[in-house]
Amino acid sequence: MKNYRLWAKVSAGLMLFTGVVHSLSLFVQATPQNEPERQMLELITTYRMDAGAGFHPSYSNLFTALSSCFSLLCFLGGITVFYLIRKGTSEETMRGLLNIHIAIFGVCFAMMAYFTFLPPIVCTGLIFVTLIVARIGIKTPQAPN
């Protein structure tokens, strides 16, 4: 656990992997298995609610926007970690970045665990755990005597 760079790279790789896999789901069409599912999918894609200010999104539009934001969050996190490691960023800066990532991906993991299903729960859980391991691996600076 002492090599925080390795664990930070693992977490960044998991973020990029999750972003890629999740973005693939944006291009898959759901196929109904029975009549109630067909009706639900039809309503999700065709019913447009009045969201005010001239916006009339369908639930499918909202789902696509939120889903793409999760992929973008993963890409941003992974690219940022890889970039800062490559630039040889100080441990102090990496400690701060990892703390921010732990907070964000911790909340993301909790939301996924409560609202979604197994694959995103596992992916965000692995990201969260490897970020914690990377953060533990950074030595805490000693106070001057």
Side-chain angles (χ1 to χ4, degrees), residues 47-117:
Y47 178 75
R48 298 194 172 275
M49 63 187 149
D50 186 0
F55 291 99
H56 296 89
S58 69
Y59 281 98
S60 178
N61 297 141
L62 296 174
F63 185 78
T64 300
L66 289 173
S67 191
S68 61
C69 286
F70 176 62
S71 294
L72 291 171
L73 170 71
C74 290
F75 291 139
L76 177 64
I79 291 168
T80 302
V81 171
F82 273 131
Y83 176 78
L84 292 177
I85 288 174
R86 185 167 183 225
K87 289 294 185 179
T89 302
S90 71
E91 287 185 355
E92 180 181 355
T93 302
M94 286 303 292
R95 185 180 306 108
L97 176 80
L98 290 173
N99 287 339
I100 293 167
H101 277 53
I102 287 168
I104 297 298
F105 281 97
V107 171
C108 185
F109 174 53
M111 299 296 284
M112 294 293 175
Y114 189 76
F115 290 113
T116 67
F117 50 99

